[in-house]
């Protein structure tokens, strides 16, 4: 097969790529020939076959139909996605710790890096109920991530978050929890390395449809961490990252200024007293 991988890299994603390359070569088609028949770009199919990206379930299902392989490719795709979720959860702390800047968009909840312990506990208990021991471990892991924003280093991380107004409208189950969260946002927004902006509902529609983190590093290329309902995904694909940066920059331009955001948070906090 044309795709080659080190033995210690074998994973569901690698197996998916290997099967794609094998099936195409077995069919006798070149990449361009496959692109012509399946109506996907040759460069896109090449990245799938070399493991550069995983693509979508729709592509896997289309190729299953083309190669008459039942649900083989779709099944491998689902395994690869599940695998990516586990790896994303395990690696996000390390990535944030190494990042020089983090830009984030929050659509439904306060970003994890800005959550108070009470708000975080409420979110964890609501979205993924666990035993007290597991919940305590999750909160400890969150505190480790948040330490990156406050640690004293020669090169502290620069953090910017754009909060959709839906986040503030949703609030928290407990009013005391929400009051404490608002106080924390106001305090954190004054940190010189932190920038908060509110995206008001009247700003209208935009391209960025879900939560995302854009991370930059000193010794490696940028990454994007997208949050899904079931699966989170980390990508270093330059095309994907460029597009996400474009969407994020547009979102930032639509948002209130940092000063306007702080004033809005103060007003909201006053009305909850």
């Amino acid at each position: 097969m044309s795709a080659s991988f080190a033995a210690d890299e074998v994973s569901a994603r690698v197996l998916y790529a290997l099967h794609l390359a094998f099936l195409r070569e077995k069919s006798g088609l070149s990449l361009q020939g496959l692109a012509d028949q399946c109506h996907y770009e040759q460069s896109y199919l090449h990245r799938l076959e070399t493991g550069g990206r995983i693509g979508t379930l729709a592509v896997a299902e289309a190729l299953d139909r083309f190669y008459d392989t039942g649900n083989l490719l779709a099944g491998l795709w689902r395994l690869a996605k599940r695998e990516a979720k586990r790896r994303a959860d395990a690696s996000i702390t390390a990535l944030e710790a190494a990042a020089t800047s983090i830009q984030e968009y929050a659509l439904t909840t306060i970003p994890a890096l800005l959550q108070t312990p009470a708000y975080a506990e409420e979110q964890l208990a609501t979205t993924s109920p666990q035993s007290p021991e597991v919940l305590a471990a999750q909160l400890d892991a969150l505190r480790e991530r948040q330490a990156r924003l406050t640690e004293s280093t020669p090169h502290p991380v620069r953090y910017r978050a754009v909060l959709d107004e839906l986040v503030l409208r949703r609030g928290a189950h407990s009013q005391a929890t929400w009051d404490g969260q608002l106080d924390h946002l106001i305090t954190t927004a004054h940190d010189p390395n932190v920038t908060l902006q509110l995206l008001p509902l009247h700003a209208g529609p935009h391209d960025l449809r879900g939560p995302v983190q854009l991370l930059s590093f000193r010794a490696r290329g940028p990454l994007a961490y997208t949050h899904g309902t079931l699966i989170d995904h980390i990508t270093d694909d330059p095309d994907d990252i460029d597009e996400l940066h474009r969407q994020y920059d547009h979102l930032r331009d639509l948002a209130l200024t940092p000063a306007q955001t702080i004033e809005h948070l103060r007003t909201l906090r006053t009305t909850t007293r």
Side-chain angles (χ1 to χ4, degrees):
M1 286 184 282
S2 59
S4 61
F5 301 87
D8 60 355
E9 292 180 350
V10 174
S11 63
R13 179 175 182 143
V14 169
L15 289 175
Y16 179 60
L18 287 170
H19 275 78
L20 289 174
F22 172 74
L23 289 168
R24 180 183 57 77
E25 292 179 5
K26 183 180 177 182
S27 72
L29 287 171
S30 64
L31 273 170
Q32 186 57 60
L34 180 62
D36 291 341
Q37 295 202 38
C38 293
H39 308 293
Y40 291 106
E41 291 185 2
Q42 178 182 347
S43 59
Y44 178 73
L45 293 171
H46 174 71
R47 287 200 292 271
L48 294 181
E49 290 188 8
T50 56
R53 64 183 303 171
I54 191 173
T56 65
L57 177 59
V59 175
E61 291 173 337
L63 292 171
D64 262 332
R65 291 192 295 271
F66 180 78
Y67 291 125
D68 193 23
T69 47
N71 295 316
L72 172 64
L73 297 176
L76 285 172
W77 184 91
R78 288 188 175 91
L79 287 174
K81 274 293 189 181
R82 215 168 288 139
E83 177 183 83
K85 167 66 175 174
R86 291 194 297 269
R87 290 183 174 179
D89 289 343
S91 62
I92 189 59
T93 299
L95 291 173
E96 288 174 344
T100 56
S101 73
I102 302 171
Q103 298 181 86
E104 184 158 13
Y105 169 56
L107 178 61
T108 58
T109 60
I110 301 296
L113 292 177
L114 300 176
Q115 293 177 3
T116 63
Y119 181 91
E121 183 171 354
E122 184 178 289
Q123 293 300 311
L124 289 169
T126 300
T127 59
S128 55
Q130 303 286 359
S131 68
E133 294 77 16
V134 172
L135 181 60
Q138 290 174 321
L139 291 172
D140 286 342
L142 179 60
R143 278 189 284 271
E144 287 184 21
R145 291 174 61 189
Q146 293 174 336
R148 184 70 175 95
L149 296 185
T150 57
E151 65 184 3
S152 298
T153 66
H155 305 287
V157 66
R158 300 185 306 278
Y159 178 76
R160 178 188 292 271
V162 176
L163 308 181
D164 198 286
E165 189 177 350
L166 289 171
V167 176
L168 301 184
R169 286 177 176 261
R170 179 164 286 106
H173 291 307
S174 163
Q175 188 60 53
T177 295
W178 187 234
D179 289 346
Q181 181 63 68
L182 289 174
D183 287 339
H184 180 65
L185 288 176
I186 294 168
T187 300
T188 305
H190 286 88
D191 190 296
N193 299 314
V194 175
T195 302
L196 297 187
Q197 290 183 258
L198 174 69
L199 182 69
L201 293 178
H202 64 69
H206 54 82
D207 292 341
L208 204 51
R209 303 300 174 84
V212 65
Q213 279 181 300
L214 302 169
L215 302 100
S216 298
F217 304 87
R218 186 166 289 104
R220 60 165 299 165
L223 295 174
Y225 183 77
T226 55
H227 304 260
T229 302
L230 297 176
I231 296 175
D232 296 340
H233 179 61
I234 297 174
T235 180
D236 59 0
D237 185 283
D239 294 339
D240 290 345
I241 291 175
D242 285 348
E243 177 60 20
L244 287 169
H245 268 289
R246 183 196 67 77
Q247 294 175 2
Y248 187 88
D249 289 346
H250 176 63
L251 207 67
R252 182 192 61 201
D253 293 342
L254 292 174
L256 301 182
T257 66
Q260 290 171 331
T261 297
I262 292 175
E263 186 59 33
H264 184 92
L265 290 170
R266 284 175 173 161
T267 300
L268 185 62
R269 179 63 179 89
T270 301
T271 60
T272 64
R273 290 192 176 116

